[in-house]
């Protein structure tokens, strides 16, 4: 049972990336999934989350309107597409899964959630 975050890379300002959070050992679509990012020397912050059954979505103000979170049941993953990327989006991105998608979950993932904390995916946006 594990999660893997992937899809990061180096892009220019204004470009796009699709990050994927892929699960193994369980059906990810049954659970809520949240994306977080961490800037060097700073606390982790929530980017977006999607509910397990109802598909409710939340976005951080910093990415709202230029990001879309979605489930991909065919690949057992949750994707985060980010458009119009900015240098301030440069961070390591992680995903986590559990029950419930809310702004509280966005602030801090519960200790009971399974996360890809050991392996994030680096997004670097050049100016």
């Amino acid at each position: 049972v594990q999660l893997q975050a992937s899809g990061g890379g180096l892009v220019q300002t204004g470009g796009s990336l699709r990050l994927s959070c892929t699960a193994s050992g369980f059906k990810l679509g049954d659970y809520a999934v949240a994306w977080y990012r961490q800037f060097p020397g700073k606390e982790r912050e929530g980017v977006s989350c999607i509910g397990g059954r109802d598909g409710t979505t939340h976005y951080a103000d910093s990415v709202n309107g230029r990001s879309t979170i979605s489930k991909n049941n065919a690949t057992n993953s949750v994707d985060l597409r980010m458009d119009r990327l900015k240098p301030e989006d440069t961070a390591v991105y992680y995903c986590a899964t559990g029950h419930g998608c809310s702004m509280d979950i966005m602030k801090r993932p519960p200790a009971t959630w399974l996360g890809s904390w050991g392996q994030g995916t680096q997004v670097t946006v050049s100016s």
Side-chain angles (χ1 to χ4, degrees), residues 19 21 31 61 68-70 73 82 101 108-110 115 125:
L19 307 183
C21 177
Y31 299 90
D61 289 342
T68 303
I69 190 169
S70 61
N73 292 330
M82 301 184 70
C101 169
R108 181 173 295 180
V125 185

Side-chain angles (χ1 to χ4, degrees), residues 9 11-12 36 46 48 52 55 63 71-73 86 91 95 98 105 111 114 116 123:
V11 297
Q12 293 184 333
Y36 299 88
S48 181
V63 303
K71 295 182 180 180
N72 187 335
N73 292 330
K86 306 174 182 179
C95 60
I105 294 293
L114 172 69
S116 68
V123 172

Side-chain angles (χ1 to χ4, degrees), residues 20-102:
S20 291
C21 177
T22 304
S24 58
F26 66 102
K27 185 178 178 183
L28 189 60
D30 289 343
Y31 299 90
V33 174
W35 280 95
Y36 299 88
R37 63 186 180 185
Q38 190 160 21
F39 306 106
K42 294 191 176 181
E43 291 288 323
R44 189 181 300 145
E45 69 173 34
V47 179
S48 181
C49 70
I50 185 167
R53 298 189 185 278
D54 60 9
T56 301
T57 59
H58 292 279
Y59 297 92
D61 289 342
S62 57
V63 303
N64 195 22
R66 57 188 186 93
S67 296
T68 303
I69 190 169
S70 61
K71 295 182 180 180
N72 187 335
N73 292 330
T75 57
N76 201 29
S77 66
V78 169
D79 298 338
L80 178 68
R81 179 178 173 87
M82 301 184 70
D83 298 314
R84 303 193 301 279
L85 284 162
K86 306 174 182 179
E88 50 264 44
D89 293 317
T90 296
V92 180
Y93 286 70
Y94 303 88
C95 60
T97 186
H99 293 287
C101 169
S102 66

